[in-house]
Amino acid sequence: MVLPARQPRRNGARRLIRFLLAPLVAALLLCHGAVAQQWLPGADWDRLPPAKSGWSEAGLADARQQADRMHATGVMIVHHGAVVGEWGDTTKRTELASVRKSFLSALIGITVAEGKISLDSTLAELSIDDNAPSLTAVEKTATVRMLLQARSGVYHPALYETAAMAKARPARGSHAPGTFWYYNNWDFNALGTIYEHATGTGIYDALAQRIAKPIGMQDYRPSDGEYFTGADSIHRAYPIRMSARDLARFALLYLHKGAWGEKQIVPAAWVAESTRASSDARGSIPRGYGYLWWTAPPEPHPGLLGEGWFTALGAGGQYGFVKPALDLVVVLRVDRDQRLPEPRFTDFAEFMQLVAKAGSL
């Protein structure tokens, strides 16, 4: 069951016509080699109840029950640029956990296009090191690209990692740079250092200036981030708090290949490269890993989520899921302040199956 529809506005009929015609217009434009028009939110999101969107009210209720079992505190389902399902508090700024890394990927992509960062630069060339025991000469041959792929081979203690991540960390020197995938907070935090050194701008201010403001985020402020420091490493973690509706805008930006209206915010080539699997990330459901984004597995696999998807993913139940072929964005959040049980990735995959069924996708 979705939230009640807003009171009709004068332009309600126009928005409804636009929404209903979007798939046909997109298909016609693509057939003629043109770029399909984007359907984007303005100051607020367009919302359509099932009676107008064509989505099944009963199907959405089933999806909501699954989300409730996952202890979700905020959910948004966005199809053709309009909200077709929404429940919980989608305005509260809550902890993104590792979803923060996908935002850094976008910022790095912008900076690479500006020539301020090279993906082939090594840690040695960038003067990146850490506390004793400091990095070895071999570890310093890791490149920026390898860090983005979580394939650096640097297994130095890192900040802001879960107990499971620390337990799974390989021994120092056990894998040469570029040869092994391990979900490594050292890589992710060092990338933050590299970005800030290259640009002279803090991550939180850069996020506000380069992404949040251009796409009209409604809630994010630079003060919603606070660096995490500690004795294990000199490379700070960069936790971020954000609302579900602002995360949905970011996911929609990536659905549209980094463009927002007529403005290219993140280079389209970077969006494609960063959301394509560089590694087989294994796990309970086949999946891959790109440049700080989780992706469909590198080899076609008939899984619960199908093919051609990617998601920002954070501990505790934070998802910013995108499936371009369906023109679909789904955000699911679990408020970590409430210390709720963490849903499994398989739970989210089952939720997405119900979403797809509700929309006859």
Side-chain angles (χ1 to χ4, degrees):
M1 184 176 182
V2 296
L3 295 177
R6 291 185 164 197
Q7 292 300 314
R9 301 174 181 172
R10 290 182 179 179
N11 63 347
R14 182 181 303 170
R15 295 201 314 274
L16 175 58
I17 292 171
R18 186 188 74 174
F19 176 83
L20 294 175
L21 290 179
L24 177 59
V25 172
L28 289 173
L29 288 172
L30 288 173
C31 286
H32 289 279
V35 177
Q37 184 174 350
Q38 303 167 11
W39 308 111
L40 299 172
D44 197 1
W45 289 85
D46 289 337
R47 292 171 171 85
L48 291 174
K52 295 183 178 179
S53 69
W55 281 59
S56 164
E57 186 169 3
L60 286 170
D62 289 341
R64 181 169 185 171
Q65 287 181 355
Q66 172 66 4
D68 288 344
R69 288 190 287 268
M70 297 169 66
H71 306 282
T73 53
V75 173
M76 288 184 70
I77 302 169
V78 180
H79 192 220
H80 301 322
V83 178
V84 296
E86 181 179 20
W87 51 86
D89 189 344
T90 59
T91 67
K92 182 182 178 183
R93 294 181 290 268
T94 59
E95 187 182 347
L96 284 176
S98 288
V99 170
R100 68 190 174 100
K101 299 160 189 173
S102 299
F103 281 96
L104 181 61
S105 177
L107 291 172
I108 289 175
I110 295 169
T111 308
V112 167
E114 294 172 342
K116 297 178 182 178
I117 293 177
S118 169
L119 296 187
D120 297 321
S121 293
T122 67
L123 297 180
E125 291 168 343
L126 296 171
S127 300
I128 296 295
D129 207 333
D130 211 332
N131 295 333
S134 57
L135 303 192
T136 67
V138 172
E139 289 173 330
K140 289 183 180 181
T141 65
T143 64
V144 174
R145 189 189 310 275
M146 293 174 190
L147 270 65
L148 286 163
Q149 296 170 330
R151 300 178 70 92
S152 73
V154 178
Y155 305 128
H156 189 284
L159 300 177
Y160 209 64
E161 61 184 0
T162 65
M165 291 167 67
K167 183 178 180 180
R169 185 192 304 122
R172 293 283 293 272
S174 58
H175 300 284
T179 64
F180 185 77
W181 182 83
Y182 159 68
Y183 189 72
N184 189 355
N185 258 24
W186 192 91
D187 291 2
F188 311 140
N189 295 340
L191 284 168
T193 300
I194 290 168
Y195 175 81
E196 293 187 334
H197 285 178
T199 63
T201 305
I203 289 171
Y204 303 127
D205 286 332
L207 174 55
Q209 297 163 9
R210 306 304 300 265
I211 296 176
K213 184 177 180 180
I215 68 174
M217 283 190 182
Q218 296 165 265
D219 306 305
Y220 175 76
R221 307 161 299 184
S223 59
D224 292 327
E226 182 176 357
Y227 291 103
F228 183 90
T229 60
D232 285 339
S233 175
I234 64 174
H235 301 294
R236 304 180 296 182
Y238 39 94
I240 302 169
R241 300 179 75 87
M242 184 174 287
S243 65
R245 64 181 181 177
D246 280 354
L247 177 55
R249 285 180 184 255
F250 179 62
L252 191 62
L253 172 69
Y254 263 63
L255 174 68
H256 290 305
K257 302 179 181 180
W260 197 263
E262 297 180 355
K263 188 171 183 180
Q264 193 72 39
I265 308 299
V266 181
W270 181 264
V271 172
E273 184 176 356
S274 62
T275 59
R276 183 171 55 243
S278 301
S279 303
D280 185 344
R282 304 175 295 280
S284 56
I285 291 180
R287 52 185 171 170
Y289 199 74
Y291 294 173
L292 310 186
W293 285 88
W294 296 89
T295 73
E299 298 297 331
H301 191 284
L304 288 174
L305 292 173
E307 300 177 12
W309 58 268
F310 54 91
T311 189
L313 173 62
Q318 323 306 323
Y319 294 89
F321 180 88
V322 182
K323 192 151 186 178
L326 301 180
D327 202 8
L328 179 69
V329 161
V330 176
V331 167
L332 183 145
R333 305 292 306 281
V334 177
D335 185 352
R336 299 189 80 192
D337 294 342
Q338 299 183 32
R339 300 185 180 277
L340 297 166
E342 179 172 5
R344 301 168 300 173
F345 192 71
T346 50
D347 296 327
F348 179 75
E350 291 169 7
F351 168 73
M352 285 305 308
Q353 282 194 313
L354 293 169
V355 169
K357 183 178 179 181
S360 299
L361 303 178

